[in-house]
């Protein structure tokens, strides 16, 4: 099967698809890593709302995708940045998403993003505002018996003047959590407003504060996800975590090595890239649990160029590539995103994502993927 794809000069070249679709099969009980996919949401393409106003979600397609992930044995990290949380999806809609997923999949492994994003950083006057915002979200999520991922706060990053402010806010919020949570350290490459989080610009200083938060509240912490796109920083932190506290890799560039681990430990996974890579992730982690490390790497390593393309700078627009692949794979009928994010990448980005997805066997129906890619190229005048 062939498709004519343009190069950066607009010249067309035939590309022959070579990938064999990965069979979608659930992880087996042998899997020895906890694996979350941070799932995207599907926008309602027929809404009259402008992209810059309130999000309108296609709940049927959004829930269907979560059933698909659960069917593969993957956990779901709900209402995170992959779902455009804080970038199109506001707190009321995030809570509705959390509530619907809880009702739809009561037995699934689901942790939910809990932040302070209903508080506009420009309107925050003090740390008490941040505390109240966090506690309101904790209460709302726990009211539906949801588990929590404690997300970083833009308002806290703006208002905190020292590491002690982070220690105090996190202690107060964690005290209100009824079950152990996953902390989330999100780097500024994903959200520039989070620069200097934990009260420090240097990693070494920020690390000490984050570790102090964990050690001071260890009974309240299931683990921590760090998304810094730096494997060495993750490994340094992983080796210093208290016993029983998990490291969840959020490194969409180096996940095979980090999940495999070394003689001193390994990372579990909570990854946005495991939305489009879901069948590959399920297959690979099953092989790893069976002791087939080479098989795990044979599945995972070839996906890294795709991940690095999807998450290339400016990284905060990686969701465009995630939803693009969901559309090519038939999980939704259109390529429209909250906040108009479908327009945040250039055409060569999409053609490269197409090629790399094919090479990794990620098209469930190659004919459908080709047909949809051709319709997109027509929109660009190809």
């Amino acid at each position: 099967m062939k498709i004519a794809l343009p190069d950066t000069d607009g010249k067309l070249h035939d590309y022959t698809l070579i990938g064999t679709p990965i069979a979608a099969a659930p992880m087996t009980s042998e899997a020895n890593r906890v694996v979350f996919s941070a799932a995207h949401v599907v926008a309602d393409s027929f809404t009259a709302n402008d992209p810059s106003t309130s999000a309108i979600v296609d709940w049927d397609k959004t829930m269907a995708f979560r059933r698909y992930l659960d069917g593969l044995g993957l956990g779901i990290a709900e209402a995170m940045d992959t779902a455009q949380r804080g970038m199109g999806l506001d707190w009321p809609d995030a809570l509705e998403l959390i509530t619907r997923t809880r009702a739809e999949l009561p037995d699934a492994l689901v942790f939910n993003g809990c932040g302070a994003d209903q508080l506009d950083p420009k309107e925050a006057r003090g740390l008490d505002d941040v505390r109240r915002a966090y506690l309101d979200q904790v209460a709302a999520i726990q009211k539906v018996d949801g588990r929590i991922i404690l997300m970083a706060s833009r308002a806290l990053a703006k208002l905190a003047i020292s590491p002690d402010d982070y220690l105090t806010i996190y202690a107060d919020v964690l005290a209100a959590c009824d079950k152990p949570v996953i902390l989330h350290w999100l780097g500024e490459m994903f959200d520039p407003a989070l620069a200097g989080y934990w009260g420090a610009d240097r990693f070494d200083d920020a690390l000490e504060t984050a570790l102090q938060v964990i050690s001071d509240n260890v009974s309240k912490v299931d683990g921590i996800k760090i998304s810094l796109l730096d494997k060495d920083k993750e490994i340094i932190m992983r080796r210093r975590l208290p016993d029983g506290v998990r490291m969840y890799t959020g490194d969409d560039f180096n996940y095979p090595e980090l999940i495999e681990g070394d003689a001193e430990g390994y990372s579990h996974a909570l990854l946005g890239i495991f939305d489009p890579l879901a069948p590959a992730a399920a297959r690979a982690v099953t092989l790893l649990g069976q002791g087939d490390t080479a098989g795990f790497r044979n599945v995972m390593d070839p996906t890294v160029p795709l991940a690095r393309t999807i998450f290339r700078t400016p990284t905060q627009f990686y969701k465009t590539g995630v939803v693009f692949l969901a559309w090519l794979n038939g999980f939704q009928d259109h390529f429209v995103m909250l906040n108009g994010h479908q327009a945040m990448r250039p055409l060569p980005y999409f053609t490269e994502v197409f090629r790399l997805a094919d090479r990794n066997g990620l098209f469930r129906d190659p004919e459908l993927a080709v047909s949809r890619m051709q319709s997109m190229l027509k929109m660009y005048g190809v």
Side-chain angles (χ1 to χ4, degrees):
M1 188 183 310
K2 292 182 179 181
I3 181 173
L5 297 175
D7 61 20
T8 54
D9 294 323
K11 296 179 181 178
L12 293 177
H13 303 274
D14 281 343
Y15 173 75
T16 301
L17 277 71
I18 60 174
T20 300
I22 295 174
M27 290 193 303
T28 70
S29 58
E30 298 163 297
N32 56 4
R33 303 288 189 273
V34 181
V35 179
F36 288 94
S37 167
H40 75 282
V41 297
V42 182
D44 181 347
S45 62
F46 295 102
T47 179
N49 287 25
D50 289 333
S52 59
T53 61
S54 299
I56 304 296
V57 176
D58 182 334
W59 294 113
D60 289 341
K61 292 292 187 181
T62 294
M63 290 299 110
F65 189 73
R66 280 141 181 80
R67 291 193 297 272
Y68 161 75
L69 293 175
D70 180 54
L72 289 173
L74 301 180
I76 298 168
E78 189 57 280
M80 303 291 289
D81 52 286
T82 304
Q84 291 185 252
R85 179 74 175 271
M87 292 164 277
L89 191 76
D90 60 15
W91 165 237
D93 288 321
L95 180 58
E96 182 170 0
L97 176 60
I98 290 165
T99 303
R100 285 174 178 265
T101 300
R102 178 67 183 153
E104 182 85 18
L105 296 168
D107 299 321
L109 176 63
V110 181
F111 274 60
N112 306 279
C114 174
D117 51 317
Q118 76 274 39
L119 175 64
D120 186 333
K122 291 180 293 197
E123 297 177 0
R125 296 293 176 262
L127 293 178
D128 284 344
D129 292 341
V130 179
R131 183 183 292 105
R132 281 192 294 270
Y134 264 130
L135 293 176
D136 285 348
Q137 292 201 16
V138 168
I141 294 171
Q142 292 183 165
K143 186 176 180 180
V144 298
D145 197 29
R147 298 294 298 272
I148 284 173
I149 301 169
L150 199 58
M151 301 169 68
S153 163
R154 293 170 179 170
L156 180 56
K158 176 187 175 185
L159 293 170
I161 60 175
S162 73
D164 287 343
D165 290 335
Y166 288 87
L167 296 174
T168 298
I169 291 295
Y170 273 83
D172 292 345
V173 175
L174 288 168
C177 297
D178 58 11
K179 298 182 181 70
V181 311
I182 299 173
L183 302 178
H184 188 190
W185 183 353
L186 187 66
E188 62 185 281
M189 68 289 294
F190 288 95
D191 188 344
L194 297 177
Y197 210 73
W198 305 115
D201 293 323
R202 293 180 63 251
F203 167 75
D204 290 346
D205 297 328
L207 173 64
E208 296 306 320
T209 303
L211 288 170
Q212 187 67 48
V213 167
I214 294 170
S215 63
D216 287 350
N217 306 277
V218 68
S219 66
K220 294 286 189 173
V221 179
D222 170 272
I224 183 167
K225 163 189 162 82
I226 64 171
S227 301
L228 303 179
L229 302 184
D230 186 320
K231 66 179 181 179
D232 295 327
K233 291 176 180 177
E234 179 174 321
I235 292 169
I236 288 169
M237 187 174 196
R238 186 174 75 193
R239 290 175 176 170
R240 294 185 60 189
L241 290 176
D243 290 344
V245 176
R246 297 183 176 105
M247 171 60 74
Y248 291 93
T249 186
D251 189 334
D252 301 278
F253 284 3
N254 302 292
Y255 49 91
E257 176 183 346
L258 292 164
I259 294 170
E260 178 187 348
D262 54 33
E264 297 184 55
Y266 54 81
S267 297
H268 300 274
L270 198 165
L271 288 162
I273 195 60
F274 278 6
D275 177 309
L277 294 188
R283 173 63 178 154
V285 174
T286 291
L287 291 171
L288 185 63
Q290 293 170 346
D292 185 358
T293 302
F296 166 79
R297 295 299 293 262
N298 286 340
V299 175
M300 283 282 92
D301 286 354
T303 67
V304 171
L306 172 63
R308 287 177 175 253
T309 298
I310 288 176
F311 282 78
R312 78 182 197 192
T313 56
T315 304
Q316 64 264 36
F317 300 129
Y318 76 88
K319 293 165 284 293
T320 301
V322 169
V323 176
F324 173 62
L325 286 178
W327 172 59
L328 292 183
N329 268 315
F331 290 112
Q332 52 198 80
D333 299 324
H334 59 81
F335 180 37
V336 173
M337 297 176 64
L338 307 183
N339 258 7
H341 271 222
Q342 71 275 7
M344 300 311 294
R345 296 293 199 181
L347 181 57
Y349 171 90
F350 296 116
T351 57
E352 184 64 10
V353 167
F354 181 92
R355 293 185 188 94
L356 292 171
D358 165 58
R359 293 169 191 171
N360 281 280
L362 293 175
F363 291 143
R364 301 193 301 169
D365 181 345
E367 289 188 8
L368 176 65
V370 167
S371 174
R372 291 192 166 182
M373 187 69 200
Q374 288 172 331
S375 70
M376 183 176 184
L377 291 173
K378 288 179 182 178
M379 185 178 68
Y380 281 85
V382 177

